[in-house]
PDB file of all heavy atoms in Angstrom:
ATOM      1  N   SER F  93      -1.353  34.245  12.787  1.00 97.00           N
ATOM      2  CA  SER F  93      -0.798  35.443  12.076  1.00 97.00           C
ATOM      3  C   SER F  93      -0.860  35.274  10.545  1.00 97.00           C
ATOM      4  O   SER F  93      -0.379  36.113   9.774  1.00 97.00           O
ATOM      5  CB  SER F  93       0.703  35.539  12.510  1.00 97.00           C
ATOM      6  OG  SER F  93       1.382  34.517  11.933  1.00 97.00           O
ATOM      7  N   ALA F  94      -1.389  34.192  10.040  1.00 97.00           N
ATOM      8  CA  ALA F  94      -1.574  33.999   8.644  1.00 97.00           C
ATOM      9  C   ALA F  94      -2.556  35.029   8.134  1.00 97.00           C
ATOM     10  O   ALA F  94      -3.464  35.485   8.795  1.00 97.00           O
ATOM     11  CB  ALA F  94      -2.085  32.587   8.280  1.00 97.00           C
ATOM     12  N   PRO F  95      -2.360  35.494   6.854  1.00 97.00           N
ATOM     13  CA  PRO F  95      -3.293  36.498   6.336  1.00 97.00           C
ATOM     14  C   PRO F  95      -4.754  36.129   6.341  1.00 97.00           C
ATOM     15  O   PRO F  95      -5.089  34.928   6.473  1.00 97.00           O
ATOM     16  CB  PRO F  95      -2.863  36.606   4.780  1.00 97.00           C
ATOM     17  CG  PRO F  95      -1.495  36.086   4.687  1.00 97.00           C
ATOM     18  CD  PRO F  95      -1.356  35.084   5.831  1.00 97.00           C
ATOM     19  N   ALA F  96      -5.648  37.131   6.502  1.00 93.00           N
ATOM     20  CA  ALA F  96      -7.025  36.920   6.700  1.00 93.00           C
ATOM     21  C   ALA F  96      -7.677  35.946   5.673  1.00 93.00           C
ATOM     22  O   ALA F  96      -8.560  35.121   5.958  1.00 93.00           O
ATOM     23  CB  ALA F  96      -7.822  38.222   6.792  1.00 93.00           C
ATOM     24  N   GLY F  97      -7.222  36.049   4.390  1.00 93.00           N
ATOM     25  CA  GLY F  97      -7.814  35.303   3.370  1.00 93.00           C
ATOM     26  C   GLY F  97      -7.165  33.922   3.117  1.00 93.00           C
ATOM     27  O   GLY F  97      -7.513  33.203   2.175  1.00 93.00           O
ATOM     28  N   ALA F  98      -6.151  33.558   4.056  1.00 96.00           N
ATOM     29  CA  ALA F  98      -5.441  32.308   3.864  1.00 96.00           C
ATOM     30  C   ALA F  98      -6.467  31.078   3.936  1.00 96.00           C
ATOM     31  O   ALA F  98      -7.326  31.168   4.802  1.00 96.00           O
ATOM     32  CB  ALA F  98      -4.294  32.236   4.839  1.00 96.00           C
ATOM     33  N   THR F  99      -6.318  30.087   3.165  1.00 95.00           N
ATOM     34  CA  THR F  99      -7.086  28.831   3.304  1.00 95.00           C
ATOM     35  C   THR F  99      -6.631  28.210   4.554  1.00 95.00           C
ATOM     36  O   THR F  99      -5.541  28.442   5.118  1.00 95.00           O
ATOM     37  CB  THR F  99      -6.771  27.956   2.077  1.00 95.00           C
ATOM     38  OG1 THR F  99      -5.460  27.532   2.124  1.00 95.00           O
ATOM     39  CG2 THR F  99      -7.108  28.595   0.746  1.00 95.00           C
ATOM     40  N   PRO F 100      -7.392  27.222   5.067  1.00 95.00           N
ATOM     41  CA  PRO F 100      -7.037  26.527   6.269  1.00 95.00           C
ATOM     42  C   PRO F 100      -5.570  25.826   6.156  1.00 95.00           C
ATOM     43  O   PRO F 100      -4.817  25.966   7.077  1.00 95.00           O
ATOM     44  CB  PRO F 100      -8.114  25.448   6.398  1.00 95.00           C
ATOM     45  CG  PRO F 100      -9.326  26.078   5.769  1.00 95.00           C
ATOM     46  CD  PRO F 100      -8.817  26.853   4.588  1.00 95.00           C
ATOM     47  N   LEU F 101      -5.363  25.246   5.027  1.00 95.00           N
ATOM     48  CA  LEU F 101      -4.103  24.647   4.810  1.00 95.00           C
ATOM     49  C   LEU F 101      -2.930  25.582   4.719  1.00 95.00           C
ATOM     50  O   LEU F 101      -1.853  25.346   5.223  1.00 95.00           O
ATOM     51  CB  LEU F 101      -4.011  23.681   3.604  1.00 95.00           C
ATOM     52  CG  LEU F 101      -4.400  22.245   3.807  1.00 95.00           C
ATOM     53  CD1 LEU F 101      -3.855  21.462   2.577  1.00 95.00           C
ATOM     54  CD2 LEU F 101      -3.827  21.720   5.013  1.00 95.00           C
ATOM     55  N   ALA F 102      -3.192  26.738   4.093  1.00 96.00           N
ATOM     56  CA  ALA F 102      -2.210  27.828   4.023  1.00 96.00           C
ATOM     57  C   ALA F 102      -1.860  28.286   5.481  1.00 96.00           C
ATOM     58  O   ALA F 102      -0.662  28.579   5.738  1.00 96.00           O
ATOM     59  CB  ALA F 102      -2.621  28.947   3.157  1.00 96.00           C
ATOM     60  N   ALA F 103      -2.893  28.456   6.285  1.00 97.00           N
ATOM     61  CA  ALA F 103      -2.650  28.866   7.714  1.00 97.00           C
ATOM     62  C   ALA F 103      -1.850  27.881   8.457  1.00 97.00           C
ATOM     63  O   ALA F 103      -1.009  28.179   9.175  1.00 97.00           O
ATOM     64  CB  ALA F 103      -4.066  29.114   8.413  1.00 97.00           C
ATOM     65  N   VAL F 104      -2.150  26.564   8.247  1.00 98.00           N
ATOM     66  CA  VAL F 104      -1.373  25.455   8.850  1.00 98.00           C
ATOM     67  C   VAL F 104       0.068  25.566   8.312  1.00 98.00           C
ATOM     68  O   VAL F 104       1.044  25.399   9.163  1.00 98.00           O
ATOM     69  CB  VAL F 104      -1.977  24.083   8.492  1.00 98.00           C
ATOM     70  CG1 VAL F 104      -1.015  22.961   8.855  1.00 98.00           C
ATOM     71  CG2 VAL F 104      -3.262  23.930   9.225  1.00 98.00           C
ATOM     72  N   GLY F 105       0.259  25.850   7.051  1.00 97.00           N
ATOM     73  CA  GLY F 105       1.602  25.972   6.507  1.00 97.00           C
ATOM     74  C   GLY F 105       2.360  27.023   7.212  1.00 97.00           C
ATOM     75  O   GLY F 105       3.583  26.943   7.628  1.00 97.00           O
TER      76      GLY F 105
END
Side-chain angles (χ1 to χ4, degrees):
Chain F
S93 69
T99 64
L101 266 198
V104 165

